[in-house]
Amino acid sequence: MKTSYFEIDSDLGKIWCAYDYIDSEDEKKPLVIIAPGFERTARDSITLSSYFLLNGFRVLRFDSRNSCGLSVGCFEDYSLSSLTEDMD
């Protein structure tokens, strides 16, 4: 498994992401986006990501804003609305 890490700049702040793939020829494979669970980070979904990779998918994991992960924001400001805004 290979992973590329990057940040997405949005009007509301930076969102930390991890893109998992097997090899560089994977661009035609379907993409699965794994949203973090409450009080979880992108690192917590590595097992689920591995399952999808081994079954022919690419995976994008991210830490939502205001979460306990690597994205910007304060945990007290976390809401389901901010999570859905991050997925837009």
Side-chain angles (χ1 to χ4, degrees), residues 3-37:
T3 303
S4 297
Y5 302 102
F6 60 95
E7 291 180 334
I8 297 173
D9 289 319
S10 75
D11 294 338
L12 302 170
K14 293 182 185 272
I15 301 169
W16 184 90
C17 300
Y19 174 66
D20 302 321
Y21 57 99
I22 299 294
D23 59 45
S24 58
E25 304 292 319
D26 286 352
E27 289 187 20
K28 295 180 182 177
K29 292 183 178 180
L31 176 68
V32 173
I33 299 174
I34 300 176

Side-chain angles (χ1 to χ4, degrees), residues 13-65:
K14 293 182 185 272
I15 301 169
W16 184 90
C17 300
Y19 174 66
D20 302 321
Y21 57 99
I22 299 294
D23 59 45
S24 58
E25 304 292 319
D26 286 352
E27 289 187 20
K28 295 180 182 177
K29 292 183 178 180
L31 176 68
V32 173
I33 299 174
I34 300 176
F38 184 68
E39 293 188 1
R40 299 283 182 221
T41 68
R43 283 178 259 148
D44 296 322
S45 59
I46 194 76
T47 302
L48 184 58
S49 178
S50 296
Y51 174 82
F52 281 114
L53 288 172
L54 293 173
N55 285 283
F57 294 88
R58 298 171 295 141
V59 178
L60 178 68
R61 301 175 286 126
F62 69 97
D63 287 339
S64 60
R65 288 176 301 110

